[in-house]
Amino acid sequence: MPAPRFPASRRSAPFGGAAWYRERLRTNLWLVPTVEALLFALLFAATITLDRLAYDGRFSLADWVLSGTADSARQILTTIAAALITVVGLVFSITIVALTLASTQFGPRMLRTFIRDRGTQLTLGTFVATFFYTVLVLVAISPGPHGDFVPHLSITLALGFTVVDLGVLIYFIHHIATMIQLPQVIAVIADDLARAIEAHGGTDQPPSTSADGGPGTEDLLRLVEDLGTVIPTPTTGYLQFLNHDELVRLATAADAVLHLPYRPGHFLVQGQPLAVVWPSAAAPRLAAQLARAQVTGPYRTLTQDVSFGFDQLVEIAIRALSPAVNDTFTALTCIDWLSHCLCRITHGWHPQHAHRDRSGRIRVIAYQADYDRLVQRAFEKIRQCSAGMPAVMIRQLDALCRVMEQTTIPRRRQVLMDQGAMIWRTCEASVPEPADREDVLRRYTTLLALHRAAEALPEAAVEAAAEAAAEAAVAHLGPPHA
């Protein structure tokens, strides 16, 4: 059954700057605690105002509000603050242990998944904010014209927040125990990857019907290649983000065309081509403005780099297959989720390459990872590490069958068959047991049967031909190492 087409409203999301900034704000441990501390400070300002009004006799507090002397209030608040700061240290320690475990067992690139976890951030924020609120209330106790000023309402709320924090602590322990389980980590990474695939599932904008639509993609690529000027990369690092909307605006203002030969996720060395501009006269102006439309950093992100999600799952599988770990079942789990993500890109998924201005003229030609390369990323490294392991080969062939059932484009089916053939050749060369080879052969035969049955179906021929033509039109946009 073909996968549903992705809604148009999600397609352009990753190409704007909002998605990048949201991702950067989410991937840290300071933002949520800071926001919660500020909110609790505002709450303190409100409660202390009510306490002042009650102290002046302007209204009476409710019966459930605690009462007592200034000394007893200080003692209670001091005890709460000491307990909270101790628990904050415990929560931070548990978080660091979880991050260390993730780095050693799952790989350093998995740390991003744990750092951006909302449960951990909210737990840290809740305890820090409660401690901050308690200290503010403690400082507010002071002498007054009618005796010592004791903020009874604020103290009552501090005790209430302490009870809430106890529940949050229990939740946090359960959450960490669940989050560090390897199947859960793999499922979270696959879910993030599936959302990134959906967001990147747009197609190239149709050309303008007016006479001023400008040359097509192939003509522009020839002009850029023959007459264009290279803009070098200003800094060394991974290309993390390209603001295509800003690039289109800059190219339109300069009446130029930008060709970006590298996509987010590629490692660029300072001086390496970042973009090629045509005409050459616009190069100096665009070179000075291009810095604010791209981000280069020391690591890869999933914001515009779909292949990074596949690499994360493959990395966990490779670590599991290493002789030091020898955890076959974890590798099988990764293969299952990889097949789920590949099923999301088998039908109707064509990342946008040509970006047009409002008049319909192509202004930016950007490269994105194609289907062939994503399939290779999902299977080849695992196959290379699974020599002599028929269980992994069988699961890979089962995954190929699962993807093959949902693939309607002949060229994409052939890519799957090529992977299946390589797995079978690896089995023949590395598995000595005839019974094991026979098990692998049965799965490979099933894959062949699915391929031949799909080739014989005529009902999807028109749609498959149209999608294959769309792929062929942009297949030459990227470098061979993409």
Side-chain angles (χ1 to χ4, degrees):
M1 180 178 179
R5 293 188 180 274
F6 303 120
S9 60
R10 296 288 301 275
R11 291 177 178 174
S12 61
F15 301 109
W20 167 251
Y21 290 115
R22 283 197 303 269
E23 181 67 18
R24 291 201 64 179
L25 289 176
R26 182 171 180 179
T27 311
N28 62 71
L29 293 175
W30 59 264
L31 178 62
V32 173
T34 301
V35 172
E36 287 197 48
L38 293 176
L39 292 176
F40 271 60
L42 294 176
L43 177 63
F44 168 76
T47 58
I48 202 67
T49 301
L50 295 177
D51 283 319
R52 287 287 183 185
L53 294 175
Y55 177 77
D56 294 336
R58 299 185 183 182
F59 78 98
S60 300
L61 296 173
D63 295 337
W64 51 267
V65 175
L66 299 178
S67 60
T69 63
D71 291 337
S72 61
R74 290 191 184 95
Q75 194 171 20
I76 292 174
L77 292 174
T78 302
T79 303
I80 293 176
L84 286 173
I85 199 62
T86 302
V87 175
V88 168
L90 175 64
V91 171
F92 271 101
S93 299
I94 294 176
T95 303
I96 294 301
V97 170
L99 293 177
T100 304
L101 177 64
S103 178
T104 56
Q105 184 175 355
F106 311 140
R109 278 153 292 281
M110 305 305 119
L111 290 179
R112 169 187 166 276
T113 302
F114 289 85
I115 293 176
R116 70 196 301 270
D117 177 70
R118 283 299 188 209
T120 301
Q121 295 174 358
L122 288 173
T123 301
L124 292 173
T126 301
F127 280 102
V128 170
T130 305
F131 172 77
F132 183 50
Y133 180 85
T134 303
V135 172
L136 291 177
V137 176
L138 180 61
V139 173
I141 301 175
S142 60
H146 310 298
D148 291 335
F149 169 69
V150 181
H152 297 293
L153 177 60
S154 301
I155 295 172
T156 304
L157 289 180
L159 289 173
F161 291 143
T162 305
V163 176
V164 173
D165 289 346
L166 179 61
V168 172
L169 178 62
I170 296 173
Y171 157 77
F172 177 69
I173 295 173
H174 166 76
H175 180 69
I176 287 292
T178 303
M179 190 175 64
I180 63 175
Q181 296 179 25
L182 198 51
Q184 179 68 20
V185 174
I186 296 172
V188 169
I189 295 173
D191 183 64
D192 290 343
L193 174 57
R195 289 201 300 269
I197 289 173
E198 183 177 349
H200 284 261
T203 57
D204 287 341
Q205 302 170 3
S208 174
T209 56
S210 64
D212 193 30
T217 305
E218 295 183 4
D219 295 334
L220 288 175
L221 283 174
R222 283 193 293 268
L223 289 171
V224 169
E225 182 178 356
D226 296 338
L227 304 174
T229 299
V230 173
I231 296 179
T233 301
T235 57
T236 299
Y238 289 98
L239 185 59
Q240 296 178 334
F241 176 76
L242 289 169
N243 191 333
H244 296 91
D245 294 334
E246 179 68 11
L247 290 173
V248 169
R249 190 189 67 80
L250 294 175
T252 303
D255 194 19
V257 176
L258 282 171
H259 177 218
L260 307 172
Y262 299 97
R263 61 167 176 81
H266 282 155
F267 185 80
L268 303 181
V269 179
Q270 184 177 6
Q272 191 173 355
L274 175 64
V276 185
V277 183
W278 175 82
S280 299
R285 176 182 177 183
L286 289 176
Q289 299 172 332
L290 200 58
R292 66 172 183 263
Q294 61 87 27
V295 179
T296 303
Y299 52 85
R300 297 170 64 185
T301 67
L302 197 59
T303 305
Q304 290 183 343
D305 184 11
V306 172
S307 59
F308 178 56
F310 285 93
D311 290 344
Q312 284 184 300
L313 294 174
V314 170
E315 180 182 359
I316 295 177
I318 292 175
R319 283 175 172 267
L321 293 175
S322 65
V325 179
N326 195 21
D327 184 5
T328 306
F329 289 98
T330 295
L332 300 183
T333 303
C334 292
I335 295 171
D336 290 337
W337 283 104
L338 283 169
S339 68
H340 158 73
C341 295
L342 287 175
C343 287
R344 305 292 295 270
I345 65 173
T346 56
H347 179 82
W349 184 80
H350 303 286
Q352 186 175 357
H353 296 81
H355 302 263
R356 302 175 183 269
D357 59 18
R358 294 183 178 180
S359 64
R361 298 176 66 92
I362 296 176
R363 292 299 181 181
V364 176
I365 303 174
Y367 177 73
Q368 299 291 333
D370 55 18
Y371 178 84
D372 299 15
R373 187 54 179 155
L374 292 180
V375 172
Q376 293 168 5
R377 285 180 179 273
F379 286 97
E380 289 189 347
K381 292 184 178 66
I382 298 177
R383 170 181 54 80
Q384 294 162 3
C385 294
S386 63
M389 305 179 70
V392 179
M393 299 177 187
I394 289 172
R395 188 60 63 91
Q396 282 195 297
L397 290 170
D398 288 341
L400 287 171
C401 291
R402 195 176 299 122
V403 179
M404 181 73 76
E405 291 174 349
Q406 300 191 25
T407 305
T408 59
I409 304 175
R411 193 176 71 84
R412 291 184 173 182
R413 289 199 296 266
Q414 187 57 49
V415 172
L416 300 176
M417 283 305 308
D418 292 342
Q419 293 296 322
M422 287 187 283
I423 293 172
W424 169 241
R425 289 195 295 269
T426 302
C427 174
E428 286 184 306
S430 63
V431 178
E433 176 57 43
D436 292 337
R437 289 201 303 270
E438 184 178 351
D439 289 338
V440 177
L441 179 60
R442 279 199 297 270
R443 266 62 173 200
Y444 181 56
T445 304
T446 302
L447 181 64
L448 283 171
L450 288 172
H451 177 63
R452 290 167 181 165
E455 291 292 329
L457 292 177
E459 57 268 17
V462 176
E463 181 182 359
E467 297 200 12
E471 286 192 348
V474 296
H476 61 288
L477 295 180
H481 64 281

